Amino acid sequence: MKIALACDHGGLNLKYEIIKELKAQGHEVVDFGTNSTDSCDYPDFALPAAEAVASGKCEKGIVVCSTGIGVSIVANKVPGVRCAHCHDSYCAEFTRLHNDANVLALGEKVIGVGYALKIVNTFLNTEFEGGRHQRRVDKITEIEKKYCK
């Protein structure tokens, strides 16, 4: 799977751990930065990662900052992105099953590396159920069309 990754300075260490895990599993990683601990602005990195997912260049995306909140807000501004900010594997599983989320947001300062990698693996290995959930995802798409002109 081709996966977009991005972070700001607050998510750099976790991003590097995620990249190691994904590459060890044979995934292709497209790293949108940052690659420094110097203070930077998370929209500059989360946006191109989200755009790569929305355009189909990447199948899924993972964005990281200190809390995961800022990068999730940015990613969700891109039409076609359904970014879920997850702190546990249950939410990662059900956002895939029910919401067909295509971008995962994590916070380096609020979750340990080991559990973050479990969340990543759950997110990437859970398929969308479709069925009645497709109707809800379609409604989300209609909301995007209404407001993103």
Side-chain angles (χ1 to χ4, degrees):
M1 185 181 309
K2 192 172 187 178
I3 303 167
L5 253 81
C7 70
D8 68 356
H9 57 282
L12 184 64
N13 295 323
L14 181 55
K15 183 188 78 166
Y16 285 150
E17 293 296 324
I18 293 169
I19 288 171
K20 281 193 281 188
E21 175 78 6
L22 295 178
K23 286 185 175 182
Q25 293 177 12
H27 295 291
E28 180 181 350
V29 174
V30 181
D31 185 354
F32 289 91
T34 189
N35 293 302
S36 169
T37 56
D38 295 340
S39 181
C40 62
D41 300 329
Y42 56 84
D44 296 339
F45 306 98
L47 177 61
E51 290 172 334
V53 174
S55 72
K57 178 181 175 189
C58 294
E59 295 169 67
K60 298 278 188 313
I62 302 170
V63 291
V64 187
C65 65
S66 294
T67 63
I69 297 167
V71 290
S72 70
I73 292 169
V74 170
N76 277 316
K77 296 296 182 186
V78 178
V81 169
R82 289 176 303 283
C83 180
H85 179 209
C86 297
H87 290 298
D88 59 64
S89 56
Y90 181 84
C91 289
E93 177 183 9
F94 277 84
T95 199
R96 287 289 307 127
L97 288 170
H98 292 184
N99 311 123
D100 197 20
N102 51 11
V103 177
L104 172 65
L106 297 169
E108 179 177 313
K109 305 285 192 244
V110 295
I111 192 161
V113 171
Y115 199 47
L117 296 178
K118 180 179 172 102
I119 292 167
V120 166
N121 286 320
T122 299
F123 181 82
L124 296 177
N125 293 306
T126 303
E127 294 296 324
F128 178 51
E129 279 185 345
R132 72 184 193 277
H133 305 294
Q134 184 62 58
R135 180 177 72 244
R136 295 161 188 159
V137 171
D138 291 343
K139 288 181 179 186
I140 293 168
T141 302
E142 289 304 312
I143 293 167
E144 280 181 348
K145 288 178 184 174
K146 179 178 178 181
Y147 288 99
C148 298
K149 297 178 182 179

